[in-house]
Amino acid sequence: MISLTNCLCALVSLCSEVCARVVGSVCVRRGYHLLLAALVSLAPLLQGLSNPRSIFSNSNNFFNVKFVHCSCGWTFLLLSGFVLLVSFVSTGRPFLTAMHLTRLGVGTALCQGIPLLFQLLEDLTGSCHQPLPPGTLLLTKLIDRASCQAEGHQWQGYHISPQTFTLTLCSLSMADELAVFVRYLRRGYPASTSLRLVFLLNASLMGLYNLLLVSTALYAPSYTQCVVGAAAGTLCWHLTYRVWYRTFYSPGLPGHGMFPKVSGVRKSLDSEGSLQ
C-alpha cells in the first residue's frame, strides 16, 4: 500500500513537472492566444468531420451545461485555490496574496458582465418575428424582447456568442496564472502533492476548455458569432494581463512579488522561466 502511494505521488510529481514546463514555456506564453484564435478560425474547415449525432451537436449536452455555462465558476474555484497556495507559500504575505486573488475577481466580473452587454446589444439591434412555414413575419408593433417572447414569437438581433467569449477569456487567464508554477518549482519552494494536484486540475480544465471551444465553434449556428465572441474575450485578456496589470495601480502580473531577484548561477537558471 505504501509503495502504491509512493508511486502515485511520483507520478503526480512527474506530470506536474512536465506540465509546468509546457505551460510556462516561451512558446505557450507568447503564442497561446494565437492558438485559440486558430482553433476558432479554422472550425469551418472541420465541418466535414462533424457528426450531427455527436453529443456536442446538442446545445444542452452534459459538457455545455456543467462546464461551458459554468466556466466562470469553475475557473474561479480551481484557480483561486492554486493562486492562494502558490502566492502565500512563496511570500507569507496576506496582503500580496489578496492582491493576486483580485485578478481572479476582475476576471469573474468580466465573465459575468460582458455577456450582459452582448444581450443588451441584441436587444437594441433586434426585432420581433413570427415564425411562418415559408419564413418569418416581421412584427413592428412589438418593439422589445419581453413583449415579443411573451406572445410566443422570436426576437432576432445581432447575437455574440457568450460561450466562446468566456471560454477564451478563462483559457487565456488560466494560462497566464499557471505559468508561474515552473518558476515556483525552480526556486525550490514547497510543492506538496496536494498543490501539484491542484495545478494539474487547473491544467486539465484549461485543456477541456480548448476542446469545448472547438466544439462550440464547430456546431454553432453562426460562425461569425463565435469569432466575435472569441475576439472580445481575447481583447479583455489583452487589456488586463498585457496592459492594466503592468501598471502601478493594478493587482500586478502573476508572480509579482513572489520571486525576489537572485544572483549568480541561480539567477541564470530562473531567468529561463521569467514571465517578463
Side-chain angles (χ1 to χ4, degrees), residues 2-265:
I2 297 179
S3 60
L4 178 60
T5 303
N6 292 337
C7 290
L8 292 176
C9 291
L11 179 61
V12 170
S13 178
L14 176 62
C15 292
S16 61
E17 291 278 353
V18 174
C19 188
R21 289 180 179 272
V22 173
V23 176
S25 64
V26 176
C27 295
V28 173
R29 296 202 312 272
R30 295 182 179 179
Y32 183 59
H33 63 290
L34 299 177
L35 172 63
L36 295 186
L39 291 178
V40 176
S41 301
L42 298 178
L45 301 179
L46 303 176
Q47 289 290 340
L49 301 178
S50 61
N51 183 1
R53 297 182 179 180
S54 170
I55 182 176
F56 296 106
S57 62
N58 182 3
S59 60
N60 293 321
N61 66 73
F62 172 82
F63 292 99
N64 267 2
V65 174
K66 298 299 183 180
F67 290 98
V68 177
H69 296 166
C70 303
S71 56
C72 296
W74 281 112
T75 302
F76 181 82
L77 178 64
L78 292 180
L79 201 55
S80 60
F82 172 77
V83 173
L84 175 63
L85 291 173
V86 170
S87 58
F88 187 75
V89 169
S90 60
T91 65
R93 298 161 59 184
F95 179 75
L96 183 60
T97 301
M99 290 296 292
H100 284 295
L101 291 173
T102 303
R103 289 193 305 272
L104 306 186
V106 173
T108 303
L110 290 174
C111 281
Q112 299 292 338
I114 298 299
L116 296 180
L117 296 181
F118 293 165
Q119 185 175 356
L120 178 61
L121 177 63
E122 187 176 2
D123 291 342
L124 294 176
T125 59
S127 55
C128 189
H129 296 260
Q130 179 182 3
L132 294 175
T136 59
L137 175 65
L138 176 63
L139 303 176
T140 58
K141 294 183 178 180
L142 301 176
I143 60 175
D144 60 272
R145 181 197 292 264
S147 59
C148 175
Q149 294 180 343
E151 296 292 332
H153 306 311
Q154 297 178 353
W155 185 264
Q156 299 180 6
Y158 187 76
H159 177 75
I160 300 176
S161 173
Q163 290 83 13
T164 56
F165 168 79
T166 55
L167 288 174
T168 302
L169 178 58
C170 290
S171 296
L172 292 172
S173 300
M174 294 184 77
D176 272 1
E177 297 290 346
L178 296 178
V180 304
F181 195 54
V182 66
R183 301 176 65 193
Y184 180 93
L185 295 175
R186 285 173 177 170
R187 285 299 181 96
Y189 290 133
S192 63
T193 303
S194 300
L195 174 58
R196 293 176 182 272
L197 281 174
V198 172
F199 170 77
L200 289 175
L201 285 175
N202 278 278
S204 300
L205 183 63
M206 187 175 71
L208 177 61
Y209 284 168
N210 293 344
L211 295 177
L212 293 177
L213 183 62
V214 174
S215 66
T216 300
L218 187 61
Y219 291 100
S222 174
Y223 170 67
T224 57
Q225 296 175 3
C226 294
V227 173
V228 175
T234 304
L235 178 61
C236 289
W237 164 79
H238 180 80
L239 293 177
T240 51
Y241 281 86
R242 291 296 181 265
V243 179
W244 180 34
Y245 294 161
R246 294 179 181 271
T247 64
F248 179 77
Y249 298 100
S250 73
L253 289 168
H256 173 70
M258 294 167 52
F259 309 106
K261 293 183 179 180
V262 293
S263 58
V265 177

